[in-house]
Amino acid sequence: MLATIARRPHLSRPSFSFTHPLHCINQSIPPLPFSPQILNHLRCTLAARMEAIGVLMMCPMNNYLEEELNKRFNLFRYWKQPRPSEFLTQHAQSIRAVVGNATAGADAKLIEALPKLEIVSSFSVGLDKIDLTKCKEKGIRVTNTPDVLTDDVADLAIGLMLAVLRRICECDKYVRRGEWKFGDFKLTSKFSGKRVGIIGLGRIGLAVAKRAEAFDCPISYYSRSQKNTNYKYYGSVVELASNCDILVVACALTPETTHIVNREVMDALGPSGVLINIGRGPHVDEPELVSALVEGRLGGAGLDVFEKEPEVPEQLFGLENVVLLPHVGSGTVETRKDMADLVLRNLEAHFANKPLLTPVV
Amino acid sequence: MAEHQPFKVHQPPEIIVLGPPSVFKVYDKQFSSRFRVLRPWESPLSLPQFLAAGAQNTQAALISGGFRFTSSVLHHLPSIRLVVTTSAGINHIDLVECRRRGIAVANAASIFSADVADLAVGLLLDVLRRISAGNRFVKSGLWPVQGAYPLGFKLGGKKVGIVGLGSIGLYVAKRLEAFGCAISYSSRKEKPSVSYAFYPDICKLAANSDILVICCALTEQTHHMINREVLLALGKEGVLVNIARGAVVDEKELVSCLQNGEISGAGLDVFENEPSVPKELYELDNVVLSPHFAVFTEESMWDLYELMCGNLEAFFSNKPLLSLIPEE
């Protein structure tokens, strides 16, 4: 396969342009001087080769992604298999890629069952559902979807903070019930100027900080190591929680960060403190969180993620100071399309023996 | 500076409270420890009767943003020299009559600006990201049953048109810039000190925006300024946020545009006939409604109490008012 390498100045990292037929068609790059017949033959051959590649999609995640995977590859839908282990045995030899997300990825058992697996492309930035050690061991590539979803997740964190402190959801409910009477009001809590503490100052943590600063919120953070920023660093989550009004979980989920927000942290955050979780459910000790909220030891919470999605503790349903969302951090039309395109481009790059766009392993 | 008659030492000065404003209800004891307060709402007399009987020498009034301080009320307050309103808006005060009689007017200035701007952003995020709707979905136990929740829309990169670039409008702009929004505005006059694009024509602002945030005062000129033409210019993917006054928007047209998908959503803190809200909006998931509560935070309530007292005490001490509205 012929390829030329070109640097595209408008992109932040070099990408590789191809002069083989599929990419010419996609990228409007002038092809090498092949005849139309040869080009068409090459296109069909390549497409046919791609269509023979088995890709296993773990759960429904995005209609556009599913349609495109179905067009370009031999797509298997794991969630539609009535007998998953039989299915895996039957098709193991043809599955070369897995597409997972925050709900279902590739654990050790699945990886072992797919001897031809070459790549796991996650429709998420979080990698907690993928056994990365196993992938490294077996030389299986892993990609995710960083950067494209950073803004949306950070936006949602701020949206949750405002919704909880200003009781926006409760007030909407009150008006919709026709209950609004003149002179009736409750005082809520001002957001501007509140101290925001961020656990994890990666891409998303920094984006949250940038937005909160525009509301004159002083920013502090906890991270594995101190970063080169002006934000105040705390060496422990408990110290961070003691010194902020709003605590945001924005780190990756690993064995070390599981239950990083525990009872001690919640007590330190206190009865006027608010917890915002846009990370992963297991970051927070959920039963402890429920008691802290029900008993009033914690001032409020905005939660986009839970330990056992889609199950959410029912004791939270009646609490005015709690806002619950069904894991929609990256859930916008624009971003899900960008994420899907990134998954597709990573898979195509891999099967064309080209560098992956967003490799993790 | 308005003159006033000297008062006896050790006797707190007298004020009349009209409304009464929420800040008075919250800090009644504190106000009463600093002033002698006339409370018409506690009297069986009608307001004119009460004023005629007991407020003929009263020099200062503390009024709510909802109390219509008309010339007929002023007629019954011959000694009034200062009216302090607990709102930022002054459309409920007969300014012409006040100016004619040399009555000073003070308001809440910009102490609410952060809170109101915060709510504008909160309502906008709620509409775009379906926060209240998503909260209802989860709390109804529907997530395990119905599975995937409809996608929202990204805020970053959207073009925001701010109608009225006063204190609140500027705060909204600063906040939304941090989300990656491009800001432009419409105002009575262009503001050379800002770098945002200025549109003298509100329809053109709407046509060039994905989101319109209403932050202007209610005046004769701005009444129903956001009409069908502006809403259609905003377009099928456009979102309206109103944290100013209900009557700036033609509410019937807004409801119709929302029902017919002529605009994509709205976040509304204010309505034309509060507390009445068009019932058609209750059925819509792409609308977020709040009961004119943008200023009701504990922090702002305290700041307002201090500002109101500060104005009244300055008046009675012959000192400059803290938030006097200058004559134009």
Side-chain angles (χ1 to χ4, degrees), chain A residues 149-166:
Chain A
L149 47 65
T150 300
D151 286 343
D152 271 353
V153 180
D155 290 356
L156 196 76
I158 304 289
L160 281 169
M161 290 180 211
L162 285 161
V164 174
L165 268 81
R166 299 298 300 272

Side-chain angles (χ1 to χ4, degrees), chain A residues 152 155 166 169 171-172 176 180 188 190 192 194 215-216 317 319 322 324 328-329 331-334, chain B residues 115 118 129 132 135-136 139 152 154 158 174-175 179 274 282 284 287 289 291 293-294 296-299:
Chain A
D152 271 353
D155 290 356
R166 299 298 300 272
C169 308
C171 284
D172 176 82
R176 269 174 211 268
W180 183 13
T188 63
K190 184 171 183 160
S192 279
K194 287 279 155 59
F215 294 81
D216 300 318
F317 289 4
L319 300 180
V322 172
L324 307 172
V328 292
T332 66
V333 168
E334 298 93 331
Chain B
D115 273 337
D118 289 358
R129 301 301 301 273
S132 285
N135 184 49
R136 282 196 291 276
K139 288 186 176 180
K154 188 174 172 134
K158 293 272 156 58
K174 176 187 169 197
R175 281 146 176 73
F179 290 80
E274 296 166 13
Y282 295 173
L284 302 176
V287 165
L289 310 169
F293 84 134
F296 287 123
T297 65
E298 306 223 357
E299 292 86 343

Side-chain angles (χ1 to χ4, degrees), chain A residues 47-95:
Chain A
R49 283 170 60 192
M50 296 275 265
E51 273 173 15
I53 297 170
V55 173
L56 178 62
M57 195 178 194
M58 295 309 294
C59 59
M61 53 188 83
N62 182 270
N63 289 343
Y64 162 74
L65 176 61
E66 199 178 318
E67 281 161 20
E68 290 300 312
L69 286 171
N70 195 46
K71 272 188 221 165
R72 302 173 201 208
F73 300 101
N74 182 17
L75 180 66
F76 297 96
R77 296 170 177 80
Y78 189 74
W79 70 96
K80 291 202 170 170
Q81 307 308 325
R83 282 177 289 277
S85 15
E86 271 181 41
F87 156 77
L88 286 176
T89 314
Q90 203 183 347
H91 294 283
Q93 297 303 316
S94 58
I95 292 173

Side-chain angles (χ1 to χ4, degrees), chain B residues 69-82:
Chain B
F69 200 70
T70 59
S71 51
S72 57
V73 172
L74 276 161
H75 176 72
H76 294 292
L77 291 166
S79 306
I80 210 87
R81 288 283 163 264
L82 168 68

Side-chain angles (χ1 to χ4, degrees), chain A residues 159 162 168, chain B residues 117-131 153-156 158-161 172 175-176 179 181 183 210-213 238-243 265-268 286 288:
Chain A
L162 285 161
I168 296 178
Chain B
D118 289 358
L119 188 72
V121 176
L123 287 171
L124 177 58
L125 280 165
D126 195 322
V127 173
L128 287 174
R129 301 301 301 273
R130 309 174 63 96
I131 297 177
F153 297 93
K154 188 174 172 134
L155 174 57
K158 293 272 156 58
K159 293 178 288 182
V160 174
V172 171
R175 281 146 176 73
L176 290 178
F179 290 80
C181 294
I183 310 291
D210 305 304
I211 296 158
L212 212 57
V213 186
V239 173
L240 180 79
V241 175
N242 191 3
I243 41 85
L268 308 170
N286 56 340
V288 180

Side-chain angles (χ1 to χ4, degrees), chain B residues 180-195:
Chain B
C181 294
I183 310 291
S184 45
Y185 72 102
S186 191
S187 205
R188 276 171 305 186
K189 284 181 282 202
E190 192 169 358
K191 315 232 168 195
S193 56
V194 304
S195 57

